[in-house]
Amino acid sequence: MARDTDPLEIGLTGFDLLNQPMLNKGTAFSEEERDAFDLHGLLPPHIGSLEEQAARRLAALRSYQTPFQKYAFLRDLQDANETLLYKLLVHNVEEMLPLVYTPTVGEGCQRFSEIWHKPRGLFLSFPNRHRIAEILAHPRYDGVRAIVVSDGERILGLGDQGAGGMGIPIGKLSLYTAIGGIHPSGALPILLDLGTDNQALLSNPIYIGWRHERVRGQAYDDFVETLVSAVAKRWPHVLLQFEDFAGSNAGRLLERYRDRLCTFNDDIQGTAAVAAGTLLSAINVTGTKLTEQRIALLGAGAAGIGICSMIRQAMVDAGLGLPEAQSRFYAVDINGLLVEGMADLRAMQTPFVQKKSAVAGWRLEQPGRIGLLDVVANAKPTVLIGVSTQPGTFTETIIKTMARNCERPVIFPLSNPTARAEATAADLMKWTEGRALIGTGSPFPPVERNGKKIPVDQTNNSYIFPGVALGVIASRARRVSDGMFMASAKALAALSPAAKDKEARLMPPLDEIRAVSVAVAIAVARQAQAEGLAETTTPEALKQMVLDHVWEPAYRPYIRKPG
Ligand code: NAI
């Protein structure tokens, strides 16, 4: 792999060079480069450094009032000078993460049509379906290593955002680079535009997407199949991540394609791993074994079922039989607790139905329907996880009931963005008299506990997926297995500050997240090798392979390509 100081041979000059975000250095082009690339006059005379530029951009960013303005500013910077964008991101992760990803990316998707003005990634629309292979064939995409694809139907907890969903693949891949160190030129965001059922978008004159109701059924499946076949043929080793598909498609697509190429769904597997990793860190503090936990879930959708499946596997790894592990889950969806024989159960939910006999003697608030309060009052869960997209559903009564039966309740309101959270961290602390161990989906300000301000741990997938991507790409793994996600969860838990000091926070601070990613990547690559999914190496070679793939934002010197 080329080192950051090796000169790059460049054929472009003048405007064409300055308009290439991956090559542009703005005022940091040296005098010699300005001579060689016909840049005199196009740039102001001052010759700056990347550090100076980053300081200037940071000051400009901070002068904006709203997160959305900051998001739009960072998107513009990405389209003007990628190295500079990543310099800002890498050195200010905690400040930047909520701007380039959740929660602000939600508004970024809702208002995508207002700010779109330069091509980034690929919009593959239904009317263009016969052109997919041709579009991917362009030599511009020869170096692609990682793709994030969305169809925009379930953006965070905000529903169908149509073509605006492109904000998600762009944002996610920014984190592949900022956190996982994947070279930005190897990242390709793709939005599958199969229409939208969002009437507000369809009637918005500035909407940039295909104005058509969503294509569904066989035509939808054929379209996705065309994409996946074309991708697998074009880049046999590529990592293809599905993101923010509706629950009904997310699990189905993952099952269909996970044995055909290197693919994963972060909403399902990444969320599962970060939630499991946070839970392993939390029970280290509570001192109760994993095999003794009783887990209540609100929202048995893609994320919820993924989380339960991984925690169940961790329980089995820790010695429980599968039926016993399964019986420890109480999954509540829109029609109440999932119980045997219930109408409208989805296939993915069936492993987590409770036996009728297990709930037979329960006292219920409302006969005939078992709600979350009933579950909390009767099953006395030790862990409560929310991925329902429904704000305020962890009510004071529910939380106080849980806290009456459990000394250190573990509570994860994970729905994003912030406005969708099942409860705020401050309320959870108040209602449990500071006893709750909390992990949130979106960032929350610090909360008071025993007179001290405690940072709120964000159960952020960013602790997992960039490291998984790095491990998969560096090891050239052929597939992404559940075992690799389990390895990532355990690697994360091993880095929990609370593992050493029970008073400390559950998750490593965000400013250490690049180091977390490297540790996760090493664990993932090791697991891929152990499962025969990647070529075996010595542990030292494996570590080096991972480190060699970590890109640091820096300007390389340019020399003019002859001819
Ligand atoms: P999904 O649409 O597949 O699942 C949501 C589920 O909640 C559905 O099964 C729905 O029927 C159920 N639901 C809706 N209203 C309910 C109610 N009042 N009571 C009980 N259940 C209800 O969506 P997915 O992918 O599972 O995501 C859910 C939420 O989790 C989203 O807000 C998403 O942003 C968030 N999420 C958070 C992550 C994190 O913080 N690390 C990662 C992935 C998702």
Side-chain angles (χ1 to χ4, degrees), residues 154 271 299 301-303 333-334 346 387-390 414 416 441 459 461:
R154 203 285 283 136
T271 306
D333 205 73
I334 193 137
R346 280 169 270 164
V387 266
S388 64
T389 74
Q390 300 303 312
L414 297 184
N416 289 325
T459 311
N461 295 35

Side-chain angles (χ1 to χ4, degrees), residues 14-354:
F15 265 123
D16 294 338
L17 177 56
L18 297 179
N19 279 327
Q20 275 295 322
M22 204 51 247
L23 297 176
N24 184 22
K25 305 187 198 180
T27 56
F29 279 105
S30 68
E31 204 58 40
E32 297 72 40
E33 288 171 330
R34 293 175 188 218
D35 291 343
F37 293 97
D38 305 331
L39 298 174
H40 289 296
L42 297 179
L43 294 167
H46 172 74
I47 294 180
S49 66
L50 182 55
E51 288 67 29
E52 263 176 40
Q53 291 175 323
R56 209 163 43 224
R57 291 298 90 196
L58 191 59
L61 176 83
R62 287 176 178 162
S63 73
Y64 286 100
Q65 301 299 311
T66 68
F68 177 70
Q69 288 170 332
K70 294 180 182 185
Y71 170 85
F73 173 88
L74 290 169
R75 280 286 305 106
D76 278 350
L77 182 58
Q78 184 171 29
D79 290 343
N81 181 337
E82 290 207 45
T83 312
L84 179 50
L85 172 87
Y86 287 112
K87 184 80 181 169
L88 274 186
L89 259 52
V90 166
H91 294 280
N92 304 278
V93 180
E94 192 156 5
E95 181 175 351
M96 300 293 159
L97 208 57
L99 297 176
V100 295
Y101 208 63
T102 49
T104 315
V105 72
E107 192 175 353
C109 291
Q110 289 173 310
R111 299 175 64 183
F112 198 81
S113 297
E114 288 174 41
I115 56 170
W116 185 88
H117 62 118
K118 273 202 167 181
R120 170 162 297 270
L122 291 174
F123 289 90
L124 301 177
S125 65
F126 190 74
N128 263 328
R129 59 195 178 282
H130 56 288
R131 295 203 175 93
I132 289 180
E134 177 198 328
I135 293 171
L136 301 186
H138 196 283
R140 179 185 305 130
Y141 306 119
D142 285 353
V144 167
R145 314 292 296 273
I147 296 172
V148 176
V149 61
S150 179
D151 69 356
E153 188 170 5
R154 203 285 283 136
I155 295 301
L156 309 173
L158 301 171
D160 188 346
Q161 299 303 325
M166 180 55 129
I168 292 290
I170 291 176
K172 207 93 196 189
L173 284 164
S174 303
L175 304 189
Y176 270 52
T177 299
I179 298 173
I182 307 297
H183 198 288
S185 63
L188 180 63
I190 296 184
L191 187 281
L192 305 182
D193 191 345
L194 288 130
T196 177
D197 291 340
N198 182 331
Q199 290 308 317
L201 291 179
L202 289 172
S203 57
N204 181 349
I206 66 160
Y207 176 56
I208 57 163
W210 182 44
R211 280 162 205 276
H212 196 281
E213 68 196 33
R214 272 194 181 272
V215 173
R216 300 197 182 273
Q218 194 57 46
Y220 175 94
D221 284 1
D222 291 347
F223 183 91
V224 178
E225 174 61 34
T226 307
L227 170 83
V228 175
S229 308
V231 163
K233 194 159 166 220
R234 173 76 164 95
W235 305 282
H237 275 284
V238 82
L239 174 65
L240 176 69
Q241 183 195 326
F242 288 94
E243 183 74 20
D244 281 5
F245 283 71
S248 52
N249 289 323
R252 226 164 46 82
L253 295 177
L254 178 64
E255 286 317 312
R256 181 169 305 161
Y257 294 115
R258 62 183 309 171
D259 294 327
R260 276 187 39 197
L261 76 169
C262 241
T263 190
F264 71 98
N265 182 310
D266 189 53
D267 296 313
I268 302 176
Q269 295 160 289
T271 306
V274 72
T278 317
L279 177 59
L280 292 174
S281 309
I283 61 174
N284 189 48
V285 176
T286 63
T288 333
K289 287 191 199 139
L290 181 64
T291 50
E292 289 166 13
Q293 304 298 325
R294 286 181 304 282
I295 294 162
L297 172 81
L298 187 73
I305 295 298
I307 292 170
C308 291
S309 305
M310 181 160 293
I311 298 174
R312 182 188 58 179
Q313 186 56 44
M315 286 177 166
V316 170
D317 291 351
L320 277 191
L322 188 64
E324 164 66 6
Q326 226 140 269
S327 71
R328 299 192 150 265
F329 290 85
Y330 298 85
V332 179
D333 205 73
I334 193 137
N335 296 322
L337 179 69
L338 306 186
V339 183
E340 278 174 342
M342 200 171 181
D344 298 334
L345 278 176
R346 280 169 270 164
M348 67 173 180
Q349 295 173 330
T350 51
F352 293 100
V353 294
Q354 269 294 338

Side-chain angles (χ1 to χ4, degrees), residues 312-559:
R312 182 188 58 179
Q313 186 56 44
M315 286 177 166
V316 170
D317 291 351
L320 277 191
L322 188 64
E324 164 66 6
Q326 226 140 269
S327 71
R328 299 192 150 265
F329 290 85
Y330 298 85
V332 179
D333 205 73
I334 193 137
N335 296 322
L337 179 69
L338 306 186
V339 183
E340 278 174 342
M342 200 171 181
D344 298 334
L345 278 176
R346 280 169 270 164
M348 67 173 180
Q349 295 173 330
T350 51
F352 293 100
V353 294
Q354 269 294 338
K355 291 208 173 349
K356 274 190 181 145
S357 56
V359 300
W362 284 14
R363 281 159 154 271
L364 303 180
E365 291 286 308
Q366 211 188 81
R369 185 181 188 282
I370 307 180
L372 183 61
L373 179 58
D374 300 310
V375 167
V376 169
N378 290 280
K380 304 188 174 44
T382 53
V383 179
L384 174 59
I385 299 171
V387 266
S388 64
T389 74
Q390 300 303 312
T393 38
F394 289 176
T395 60
E396 183 170 354
T397 313
I398 287 173
I399 298 303
K400 285 191 165 165
T401 307
M402 182 179 184
R404 262 201 301 281
N405 299 316
C406 179
E407 180 51 33
R408 299 295 308 269
V410 176
I411 309 177
F412 299 164
L414 297 184
S415 285
N416 289 325
T418 319
R420 300 279 161 150
E422 284 79 5
T424 66
D427 279 343
L428 292 175
M429 269 300 172
K430 192 167 74 198
W431 297 335
T432 61
E433 298 122 10
R435 289 183 283 127
L437 289 157
I438 301 170
T440 60
S442 293
F444 278 92
V447 289
E448 289 260 332
R449 190 168 78 206
N450 306 332
K452 276 198 279 181
K453 286 244 180 252
I454 314 276
V456 176
D457 284 300
Q458 206 189 334
T459 311
N460 191 316
N461 295 35
S462 309
Y463 282 109
I464 296 288
F465 73 82
V468 169
L470 177 61
V472 168
I473 291 172
S475 67
R476 289 177 71 82
R478 286 182 289 280
R479 297 289 177 269
V480 187
S481 68
D482 287 340
M484 286 152 75
F485 274 96
M486 184 68 86
S488 73
K490 290 179 180 166
L492 175 62
L495 293 173
S496 163
K500 292 199 191 93
D501 167 9
K502 287 193 191 314
E503 290 298 308
R505 56 194 294 178
L506 298 178
M507 309 294 268
L510 283 171
D511 59 10
E512 290 172 16
I513 200 165
R514 262 170 92 91
V516 173
S517 279
V518 168
V520 165
I522 291 171
V524 165
R526 195 186 300 127
Q527 182 68 21
Q529 293 189 353
E531 291 182 33
L533 294 172
E535 212 169 291
T536 318
T537 60
T538 62
E540 297 72 35
L542 181 149
K543 185 173 174 194
Q544 196 52 48
M545 223 157 55
V546 168
L547 293 174
D548 285 347
H549 278 79
V550 177
W551 177 73
E552 295 290 338
Y555 291 137
R556 285 170 63 179
Y558 296 165
I559 48 175

